[in-house]
Amino acid sequence: MAAKILIVTGDAAESLEVLYPYQRLREEGYDVHIAAPARKTLRFVVHDFEPGFDTYTEKPGYTWPADLAFSEVDPGQYAALVIPGGRAPEYLRNDPELRKILKSFFDADKPVAQICHGPLLTAAIGGLSGRRVTAYPALEIDMQTAGATFQDAEAVVDGTLVSARAWPDHSGWMREFLTVLRAKAPAQ
């Protein structure tokens, strides 16, 4: 039986930051489930840079069904957690069911991959205190306020926590996460 990986996300998540790890982890042989505030079709977005803009732009992205609601998640069934970015973490961090899920993974020291604005979720449960992380560079102050040491790097590994800045860092992020995952929770 394949080990299960949980991706937690919601509307306005960055399309690539959900679908790349979803497909890459399935390719490795993991059983991957997407959880959201409710079982529904999620609407993702595409973040990109355009000349003349001071920050990224946002356009409609892919849609994808959530496999289960946060209230249906049994964290004990999952070997690892993936936290995509985009705008979804801004509102998801207020969800008490999701905070319970996140805390369970951190308390059990299970592998966690976070990217872009995803660390806003782990910061909300106090999971970054004393850790080394990266995130979308505009979150450097947020990471420091959460007690983390911010590093502007493609991927940062701190024990079982693997973080990346944004979707251009996918290769390094998944390479490092899979190294942690294979050691702690092989696919089969």
Side-chain angles (χ1 to χ4, degrees):
M1 182 177 246
K4 294 180 184 178
I5 308 292
L6 182 66
I7 297 177
V8 292
T9 195
D11 287 329
E14 213 297 325
S15 292
L16 288 173
E17 293 174 3
V18 176
L19 296 176
Y20 180 82
Y22 177 82
Q23 292 171 338
R24 183 65 188 92
L25 293 166
R26 286 175 45 94
E27 180 182 53
E28 278 294 310
Y30 290 95
D31 185 10
V32 184
H33 297 162
I34 295 177
R39 280 186 194 232
K40 67 175 213 162
T41 298
L42 297 168
R43 291 175 176 88
F44 301 143
V45 298
V46 173
H47 288 154
D48 207 352
F49 292 91
E50 294 191 28
F53 278 75
D54 291 331
T55 188
Y56 57 85
T57 60
E58 182 172 283
K59 298 169 184 69
Y62 294 105
T63 59
W64 200 266
D67 298 306
L68 62 166
F70 294 148
S71 62
E72 299 172 304
V73 172
D74 174 2
Q77 291 185 3
Y78 294 91
L81 177 69
V82 176
I83 307 170
R87 283 188 304 114
E90 294 173 11
Y91 69 91
L92 291 177
R93 63 186 162 178
N94 297 310
D95 188 303
E97 291 294 327
L98 177 55
R99 287 196 309 268
K100 286 186 225 173
I101 293 166
L102 296 169
K103 189 164 175 8
S104 176
F105 278 89
F106 275 83
D107 288 350
D109 197 33
K110 291 182 180 180
V112 174
Q114 60 184 9
I115 189 166
C116 192
H117 284 71
L120 290 174
L121 295 178
T122 52
I125 62 155
L128 299 183
S129 184
R131 311 286 302 251
R132 291 178 302 105
V133 299
T134 194
Y136 186 70
L139 297 183
E140 180 176 358
I141 292 170
D142 299 272
M143 298 299 97
Q144 292 167 346
T145 301
T149 300
F150 180 84
Q151 297 179 326
D152 187 7
E154 179 181 63
V156 173
V157 180
D158 186 320
T160 56
L161 178 63
V162 181
S163 50
R165 295 174 297 204
W167 61 262
D169 296 333
H170 275 158
S171 300
W173 180 50
M174 277 293 110
R175 185 172 38 255
E176 296 295 344
F177 185 57
L178 284 167
T179 298
V180 171
L181 202 50
R182 288 176 186 133
K184 294 279 277 183
Q188 300 291 332

